[in-house]
Amino acid sequence: MTASLTDTAERMALLPADVPRDAIIVTRNLQREYDMGGEVVRALRGVDIVIRKNEFVAIMGPSGSGKSTLMNMIGCLDSPDGGEYWLNGHRVSELEDDELARIRNKEIGFVFQTFNLLPRATALHNVELPLVYAGIGSKERSRMAIDALQRVGLGDRMHHRPNELSGGQRQRVAIARALVNNPSILLADEPTGNLDSATSVDIMALFETLHATGQTIVLVTHEHDIAAHADRQVHLKDGQVERDFKTEATH
Amino acid sequence: MLVGETVAVAFQSIRANKLRSMLTMLGIIIGVGAVITMVALGSGAQKAVEDQIANLGANTFTIFPGQSFRGGVAQGNRVSLTTDDYLAIRRDARLIKAVVPELQSNLQVKYGNQNVNSPIVGTTANFVEVRNYTVPFGRSFRQGDDESRQRYAVLGADVPDQLGVNAAAMIGQQLLVRGIPFEIIGVLSRKGSAGSWQNPDEQIFIPLQTAQFRVLGTDRVRSISVQVADGVPIEQGMVDLERVLRREHRIRPGQENDFQIRNPQDILATRQEATQTFTILLASIAAVSLFVGGIGIMNIMLVSVTERTREIGIRKALGATRLNIMAQFLIEALALCLVGGVLGILFGSGMAIVLAKFMQWNTLISMPAIIVAFAFSAFVGLFFGIWPARRAASLDPIVALRYE
C-alpha cells in the first residue's frame, strides 16, 4: 500500500513513468457518476491532469462542468468510480475512509468560500485544529498556529472569535489553518466568493506571496480575473478538460 | 489520543447550551436521585426492622387472647387471658425461663398540674430483662414491690418529654394515676416505635398486683410474653405452652385454641420481606425514570449532531477520522450523564437527609446504591450516546460541509 511508504522519494518512484518526478497531483482517466433520482449524471468523464510542485493552478468552468466534483476528488473528500489519482505519491484512489482522513490532514490545506471556521473557537484554536488531529502536543501546536497566523498577518487577532473578525480576516484565519500543517497543496474553493473586491485583491495577493515562497496552490473559481492570478488555468466542460494553458500565453 | 481535546470540546459544547444541557441532565438527575432516595428509604426501613428484632430479646414470643371459631362463628364468651393463666404457665410449663404478663389500660395521668392520657401497664418485675430494657435513670421495681403492691411507677423514655420535664428530675416525684398517687422510681431506655401503631416509649409500667388490685381491678391481661429456656428451640417452647394453656382452658382435642401465640420474629421477618419487595419496586420505578432520562439524552444528542453537521464536515475535512468524531459525541453524551449522575447523587442524598430530619423517616444512604446509580448513568450515556455518535461519524464530509 502506497500510503504506508513514508519516504516521499520512494513513493514518487512508483508514479507512472511518463509523468515528471516532481508531480504533486496526477489523475488518470478520473471518472465519477452520481445517481440523481434514477438518472445517472456523469460528473467526470475521464480527467487527466498533472500538477507539479510549486505550481499555481486555477481550475475553471461553468456550473455543471464537474469542477466541484474534481475539487472534492483532489481534496480527498470523495473517491472516484474509475481511473486513478496520486497525491504526493499516495495512490489515493485506493484508500479507505480513515486513510483519506489522514491524507487530508497531512497533505491538503482547505480554503472554502464560506470560510468554515468553528464559530465558538478562537482564531488560534481554529488554526490549531488540523494539528490536534495530527496528534501534535499542545505546546508545539500553539507555537505552530501562532506562526501560521503571523504569516497571514493576523498575529494580533489570535484570541478573537470568527464573529469578531471581518470577512477578509476570517478568510486569513482559514488560510492560516490550511497552511499550519505544511501541506503539499493548498486547495482553495472560490476563496473570494464571499468577499468584496478590495478584500479579494488582498487575499489573492496573499496567495501570490505564499506561491512565491514555494507553496503549491490549486484554486477553483468561475471568475476570470481571479483565475488570472494563477500561472496556469485548467478549463473544464462537461466533465472533461477543455483547455489547459499558461496564463501568460493569453495575456 | 486526543482525549484532552475531546473532553474539552464536550464540556465547551455543554456550556454553550447551558439551559438545554441542564434540562437534558434533569432526567438523569431525577433518575439517579430517585434511585438513591428510594434505596435509602428501603434500607432505612429494613434497618429499623432489624434493630427491632435485636431489641426483642432472644427467644421470646407472646400470647394474646383470642376467640375460638367454629364454622366462622365465635364460640362462647371466654375470650380473655387472665393472671391465672400466667400463674399456670409459671407453674406447669417446663421449657420456659421467664413469663411476663401485661395488664393494660389507657388512663388519665396527672403530674404536677399537667394531664396526659397514657397506657398504664401492670407487669412483673422481670419485664426489664425479658424485653431488653435498661434503666438509665433510677431503678425498676422488684418482685417484692410487686408482692407488696407498691405504688411505684417506671416511665417509658418518651413520658418525661411528653410532660416537658427532665427525666432525672422526675425520680422520686409523685404521679397520680386515676387519682391514686404513685412514686416515680425509674425511667426506661428508648425502644423506638419503628412504625408500629403504638409508641412503646409512652407507656408507664407499674407492678402487676398493684395494677390488678389497686388500679384496674381486673385480672384480664392484654398479653403474656414468654421467654424460652436456654438451648430450647422457640417452636418447642410454643408447643409446651400451647399444651399448658389448652389444659387450663379445658379445650377438647379437635377444638381450636381460644388464644393466639405469636412469634414476633416471624411477624418481623414477614415485614422485612415486604419492605424488601417495596424497596425493589421503588428502585425499579426509579430505574425506569433513569431510562427515560437516557432517551432524553439520546434525543438531544441527535439534535446536537444535526445542528453541528457543518462542524462535523469541517473537522472531517481537516483530518478527523470516524473514530475521532464518534469519540467526540460519545464523550459529550457521557459527560452529560456523569455530570447529571453526580448532581443526582447529591440531590438524592440530600432528599434522604431531609426526609430523615424533617419527616423522621428512617433512611440509610447506601454506598452500593450510589456506586450502582453512578455506573448505571455512565452506561446510559454510552448506550444512548452510541447511536447519535455513529450517525455523526458516518456523515459524508461533502454533504456535511454544504449543510446550512
Side-chain angles (χ1 to χ4, degrees), chain B residues 176-404:
Chain B
L176 295 179
V177 176
R178 209 186 235 173
I180 303 162
F182 275 76
E183 185 189 342
I184 299 168
I185 60 167
V187 178
L188 296 169
S189 56
R190 191 175 300 276
K191 277 277 190 196
S193 71
S196 74
W197 55 277
Q198 193 191 36
N199 182 358
D201 293 331
E202 286 178 3
Q203 295 173 332
I204 296 173
F205 296 88
I206 60 176
L208 177 72
Q209 299 199 36
T210 313
Q212 187 179 346
F213 298 110
R214 305 184 86 149
V215 183
L216 302 175
T218 175
D219 63 351
R220 294 188 174 195
V221 300
R222 182 185 62 140
S223 67
I224 301 175
S225 294
V226 177
Q227 191 170 30
V228 179
D230 295 336
V232 175
I234 196 160
E235 290 77 15
Q236 224 170 321
M238 286 160 82
V239 170
D240 185 33
L241 192 108
E242 194 177 356
R243 176 186 63 80
V244 172
L245 277 185
R246 281 180 76 91
R247 198 182 56 197
E248 182 71 14
H249 288 190
R250 296 188 176 82
I251 299 168
R252 280 188 295 274
Q255 225 175 332
E256 278 176 53
N257 292 341
D258 63 354
F259 54 89
Q260 302 170 18
I261 301 177
R262 280 194 225 151
N263 177 354
Q265 308 224 9
D266 286 349
I267 299 170
L268 287 176
T270 314
R271 205 197 295 173
Q272 193 169 16
E273 235 168 82
T275 312
Q276 222 154 13
T277 314
F278 190 59
T279 308
I280 291 168
L281 184 77
L282 287 178
S284 320
I285 293 169
V288 168
S289 77
L290 197 50
F291 188 78
V292 173
I295 293 173
I297 297 266
M298 177 156 75
N299 191 14
I300 220 66
M301 288 310 297
L302 283 172
V303 170
S304 179
V305 168
T306 307
E307 263 183 5
R308 288 153 72 193
T309 299
R310 202 176 174 109
E311 178 190 325
I312 294 163
I314 296 169
R315 287 179 182 275
K316 282 197 150 186
L318 299 181
T321 60
R322 291 172 65 99
L323 195 68
N324 292 150
I325 300 294
M326 187 136 163
Q328 183 188 330
F329 283 89
L330 209 51
I331 285 176
E332 191 175 324
L334 200 60
L336 273 176
C337 282
L338 291 185
V339 171
V342 168
L343 293 177
I345 286 168
L346 295 178
F347 167 72
S349 307
M351 275 302 280
I353 290 165
V354 166
L355 285 177
K357 202 151 199 166
F358 295 103
M359 317 226 3
Q360 267 81 40
W361 288 7
N362 292 306
T363 60
L364 188 69
I365 297 167
S366 100
M367 206 56 210
I370 288 179
I371 292 166
V372 167
F374 191 69
F376 197 64
S377 66
F379 169 75
V380 163
L382 286 177
F383 183 80
F384 289 101
I386 203 139
W387 190 48
R390 282 181 66 123
R391 231 166 102 138
S394 60
L395 281 174
D396 181 349
I398 299 170
V399 177
L401 276 170
R402 252 188 253 132
Y403 187 84
E404 293 295 332

Side-chain angles (χ1 to χ4, degrees), chain B residues 127-206:
Chain B
F127 83 97
V128 173
E129 75 188 88
V130 173
R131 289 233 173 254
N132 253 12
Y133 280 111
T134 57
V135 191
F137 301 102
R139 65 174 183 92
S140 183
F141 47 81
R142 307 195 177 93
Q143 201 180 337
D145 299 330
D146 185 12
E147 280 158 8
S148 55
R149 301 178 192 175
Q150 292 293 336
R151 294 191 308 263
Y152 288 156
V154 178
L155 309 182
D158 283 349
V159 178
D161 292 345
Q162 268 183 315
L163 296 168
V165 186
N166 183 286
M170 293 184 82
I171 307 299
Q173 299 297 309
Q174 207 185 53
L175 186 82
L176 295 179
V177 176
R178 209 186 235 173
I180 303 162
F182 275 76
E183 185 189 342
I184 299 168
I185 60 167
V187 178
L188 296 169
S189 56
R190 191 175 300 276
K191 277 277 190 196
S193 71
S196 74
W197 55 277
Q198 193 191 36
N199 182 358
D201 293 331
E202 286 178 3
Q203 295 173 332
I204 296 173
F205 296 88
I206 60 176

Side-chain angles (χ1 to χ4, degrees), chain A residues 222-238:
Chain A
H222 65 272
E223 292 176 70
H224 285 278
D225 50 339
I226 294 296
H229 288 268
D231 300 340
R232 177 181 155 199
Q233 298 183 29
V234 177
H235 285 244
L236 290 184
K237 196 182 175 190
D238 298 330

Side-chain angles (χ1 to χ4, degrees), chain A residues 54-57 211 227-233 245-248:
Chain A
N54 200 23
E55 275 196 285
F56 187 173
V57 180
H211 176 230
H229 288 268
D231 300 340
R232 177 181 155 199
Q233 298 183 29
F245 56 94
K246 296 268 185 240
T247 303
E248 290 87 0

Side-chain angles (χ1 to χ4, degrees), chain A residues 72 77-78 97-98 101-102 104-105 110 112 114 116-118 120-121 125 129-130 132-133 135 141 177, chain B residues 2 5 12-13 16-17 308 310-311 314-322 324-325 328 396-398 401-402:
Chain A
N72 289 338
L77 292 164
D78 198 3
D97 267 13
D98 283 355
R102 223 181 67 211
R104 288 197 293 268
N105 184 246
F110 285 101
F112 300 97
T114 51
N116 277 339
L117 299 173
L118 297 187
R120 284 201 294 268
H125 190 89
L129 209 54
V132 167
Y133 291 114
R141 218 155 63 195
R177 182 179 67 183
Chain B
L2 300 174
E5 162 79 7
Q12 187 189 38
S13 148
N17 294 302
R308 288 153 72 193
R310 202 176 174 109
E311 178 190 325
I314 296 169
R315 287 179 182 275
K316 282 197 150 186
L318 299 181
T321 60
R322 291 172 65 99
N324 292 150
I325 300 294
Q328 183 188 330
D396 181 349
I398 299 170
L401 276 170
R402 252 188 253 132

